[in-house]
Amino acid sequence: MVTDIHGPVRVRFAPSPTGHPHVGNIRTALFNWLFARHHGGDFILRIEDTDAARQVEGAVESIVEGLAWLGLDFDEGPIFQSQRLPLYRSAAETLISAGVAYRCFCSPERLEQVRTELARQKLPPRYDGYCRKLSPSDVTAHLDDGIPSVVRFRTPRVGDTHFHDLIRGDVTFSNATLNDYVLLKSDAYPTYHLANVVDDHEMHITHVLRADEWISSTPLHVMLYSAFGWSPPAFGHLPMILGPDKTKLSKRHGATTIIEYREQGYLPEALLNFLALLGWALDDRSELFTRDELVAVFSLDRVGKTAAVFDRTKLDWMNGVYIRALPVDEFARRSLPFLDRDLPEEVIRPLDPNYVTRVAALLQERTKVLSELGDLSEFFFVDSIEYPAATMIPKGMDGTQTRLVLSKVLSVLEDLDAWDAPSLESMIRPLCASLELSTKQVFTTLRVAVTGRTATPPLFDTMDVLGKTRCLNRLSRALEIIDDLVTGSGNGT
Ligand code: GLU
């Protein structure tokens, strides 16, 4: 049973730095982290960087940064496999001496011929075992001749390999479908298989929780453990993540690297919650979990076997929920760097944190991601706003009426001393009645005149924050604009 755990849990997140971590990688990290924290165990970060050719500059940094941003703290690491090469080389020697691995001197050309022949026969690509039967003296002679070689595992050709998967249950692979996998490459770097197994053993890993795509490597790993005489860790393969169209998750589905989610203004606690639900569920209802709640309730029993579906709309919804739940000061604090980054250059920096808090208070309700804030709040910060004059003219009114509204509003507000939302409202509402216009009409004109937008936070609160000088300037400017429109076109409608 999955939950019968004896002794300290030690799990690892073992990314290869071949790209910036994306949703799938971090979901693996998260499940390992939750499992470790739930059981009071250790979470280790191991960088599997033995394939120098496939490494991407900056990938390690973005792995570490992504984990830190989400608060997935590790107890050991990062440990780099590239710094442990002698360990893998001596492990390969051990296997050769025991006769369970052998040196293969086949040239790339020969291997290509084997592949072509198998393809012609519509058989899966597999090494034909040519070097299995080399005698020790042949091997020595080839080595003396300086012929490059790899070390391969002598995979049994008959029988089955079984293991119990914590998520999938009992799994069996027929050995005949497996290959004589390479363990050590000709440059004496280990392959994933060798380094991964040696390290999981050396680091006393108790549970290997990794993405489904690795399950086909597990029979080899199980055989390697037995060849070394080590007892294997428990294995659990996490379900795939698909896009809503049920194809493999990609950028097309709005999935990006973790760092990009940060740049786009997702809150780490929202993304963490969202990722936890990709393949795990407590029940069929609960969706919102804090980090501590997740640690308390997470278990492998509730990780699904079937693929999880990544739904960007749900992530946006969830982010909005987390944003609305923030105390306003905290929301403002988190908004500040986004405003700083996204507001036009003309806005003077540093931004005034008090003003930002007042603006943020008005926008919190309508924000889904923090990267929207620059655009949503621009009119609060810039000096002059641009808008098509016609947007000031509401339905059922013409330019002349709009001009009248603006001039009345201006004259009423010029004399207003207490510039706050209730006072503004108490001045403007009666004006609508006296002009025999609906509040909706008057508010539309006013809203566009002071913000340049047709959709904004509540009008009077907005005007309150904008302040008297800015509002009056904008109203005067609006009056000029509408005046030009009316006189220019005769009517303006
Ligand atoms: N280096 C592998 C990866 O990039 C590790 C897989 C495993 O956890 O065994 O995902």
Side-chain angles (χ1 to χ4, degrees):
M1 192 52 202
V2 173
T3 39
D4 293 345
I5 288 166
H6 308 287
V9 160
R10 282 174 62 83
V11 292
R12 78 320 191 260
F13 173 48
S16 303
T18 51
H20 297 275
H22 51 77
V23 169
N25 304 123
I26 298 291
R27 192 274 312 255
T28 298
L30 173 61
F31 282 24
N32 275 285
W33 181 86
L34 287 172
F35 187 72
R37 295 292 170 259
H38 179 84
H39 292 286
D42 289 330
F43 174 63
I44 295 148
L45 174 61
R46 184 172 78 218
I47 306 292
E48 301 207 323
D49 58 346
T50 56
D51 192 348
R54 292 185 56 229
Q55 280 186 48
V56 166
E57 172 100 16
V60 173
E61 289 74 9
S62 74
I63 290 163
V64 171
E65 216 176 300
L67 293 176
W69 179 59
L70 289 169
L72 305 182
D73 56 326
F74 39 88
D75 305 288
E76 291 169 33
I79 295 165
F80 293 84
Q81 288 189 326
S82 59
Q83 293 170 7
R84 299 159 60 84
L85 300 175
L87 194 65
Y88 315 124
R89 289 173 188 160
S90 91
E93 287 303 330
T94 306
L95 295 178
I96 294 175
S97 313
V100 287
Y102 62 94
R103 281 195 190 279
C104 165
F105 297 89
C106 289
S107 64
E109 295 72 34
R110 176 169 191 281
L111 295 174
E112 188 49 42
Q113 277 166 13
V114 171
R115 255 193 301 272
T116 314
E117 178 55 23
L118 287 170
R120 203 183 55 77
Q121 295 177 41
K122 304 217 165 12
L123 292 169
R126 185 162 334 142
Y127 179 58
D128 63 355
Y130 183 80
C131 291
R132 275 187 169 219
K133 37 192 186 302
L134 289 182
S135 66
S137 56
D138 289 339
V139 171
T140 315
H142 286 346
L143 287 176
D144 289 348
D145 289 347
I147 302 176
S149 64
V150 300
V151 175
R152 289 183 183 272
F153 190 66
R154 195 184 293 275
T155 303
R157 294 279 162 82
V158 293
D160 292 328
T161 299
H162 308 276
F163 59 91
H164 179 76
D165 189 280
L166 297 171
I167 293 153
R168 301 276 210 101
D170 290 329
V171 179
T172 301
F173 279 83
S174 155
N175 294 339
T177 64
L178 306 175
N179 204 347
D180 278 7
Y181 301 96
V182 174
L183 302 176
L184 204 66
K185 294 178 278 186
S186 54
D187 58 5
Y189 273 71
T191 57
Y192 154 71
H193 304 295
L194 180 65
N196 188 273
V197 165
V198 168
D199 277 347
D200 283 345
H201 172 73
E202 284 286 321
M203 296 175 187
H204 306 290
I205 297 303
T206 56
H207 297 75
V208 167
L209 307 176
R210 62 184 167 205
D212 222 20
E213 59 184 298
W214 300 103
I215 199 161
S216 56
S217 300
T218 307
L220 168 65
H221 297 187
V222 169
M223 290 190 279
L224 281 170
Y225 280 101
S226 120
F228 282 118
W230 301 334
S231 57
F235 294 98
H237 290 90
L238 308 173
M240 292 234 297
I241 306 176
L242 304 178
D245 60 358
K246 304 287 152 69
T247 62
K248 192 170 155 38
L249 186 62
S250 74
K251 270 208 179 285
R252 256 181 324 118
H253 303 111
T256 72
T257 65
I258 295 308
I259 299 301
E260 282 174 288
Y261 284 108
R262 184 180 68 185
E263 313 285 274
Q264 289 170 14
Y266 288 90
L267 304 187
E269 55 271 51
L271 189 63
L272 192 89
N273 188 158
F274 175 77
L275 293 176
L277 299 177
L278 288 178
W280 171 89
L282 180 65
D283 51 38
D284 52 14
R285 303 176 299 284
S286 317
E287 298 213 284
L288 298 173
F289 297 90
T290 63
R291 170 195 317 267
D292 289 347
E293 285 164 355
L294 286 171
V295 167
V297 297
F298 184 81
S299 80
L300 293 180
D301 301 307
R302 304 212 52 89
V303 172
K305 285 191 186 50
T306 49
V309 176
F310 173 93
D311 178 355
R312 179 75 184 237
T313 322
K314 180 167 167 182
L315 171 60
D316 286 351
W317 163 79
M318 200 172 265
N319 205 53
V321 171
Y322 275 85
I323 283 184
R324 289 191 290 280
L326 290 176
V328 66
D329 286 350
E330 175 62 12
F331 174 63
R333 196 185 65 76
R334 298 209 206 184
S335 305
L336 197 73
F338 286 86
L339 293 174
D340 199 38
R341 182 190 74 183
D342 298 336
L343 283 171
E345 252 175 55
E346 58 162 293
V347 177
I348 293 172
R349 307 320 198 259
L351 301 169
D352 169 8
N354 294 325
Y355 187 66
V356 166
T357 305
R358 297 186 68 205
V359 171
L362 294 185
L363 292 171
Q364 189 167 5
E365 273 298 307
R366 48 176 51 231
T367 309
K368 281 206 174 75
V369 286
L370 300 177
S371 58
E372 294 174 306
L373 283 169
D375 177 52
L376 286 176
S377 71
E378 186 175 320
F379 63 83
F380 280 108
F381 293 92
V382 293
D383 276 335
S384 60
I385 50 177
E386 305 285 335
Y387 50 90
T391 52
M392 272 194 287
I393 306 170
K395 259 211 180 86
M397 270 168 65
D398 61 18
T400 314
Q401 284 169 298
T402 305
R403 180 170 60 183
L404 182 68
V405 167
L406 285 169
S407 69
K408 291 270 185 214
V409 168
L410 243 178
S411 65
V412 167
L413 296 188
E414 265 163 0
D415 298 332
L416 181 68
D417 290 327
W419 194 271
D420 54 51
S423 313
L424 286 161
E425 185 159 9
S426 71
M427 301 300 284
I428 307 291
R429 279 198 188 269
L431 198 72
C432 306
S434 72
L435 290 168
E436 295 185 349
L437 293 168
S438 71
T439 48
K440 189 166 174 221
Q441 290 172 312
V442 173
F443 289 8
T444 298
T445 302
L446 207 48
R447 187 185 307 280
V448 175
V450 295
T451 68
R453 308 279 174 104
T454 48
T456 69
L459 178 61
F460 299 115
D461 293 313
T462 300
M463 292 175 71
D464 181 350
V465 171
L466 279 167
K468 184 168 180 176
T469 315
R470 219 174 213 151
C471 285
L472 293 186
N473 286 342
R474 288 183 182 177
L475 286 166
S476 312
R477 175 84 193 110
L479 192 56
E480 282 167 29
I481 293 171
I482 209 79
D483 212 41
D484 285 352
L485 190 74
V486 172
T487 46
S489 70
N491 186 307
T493 49

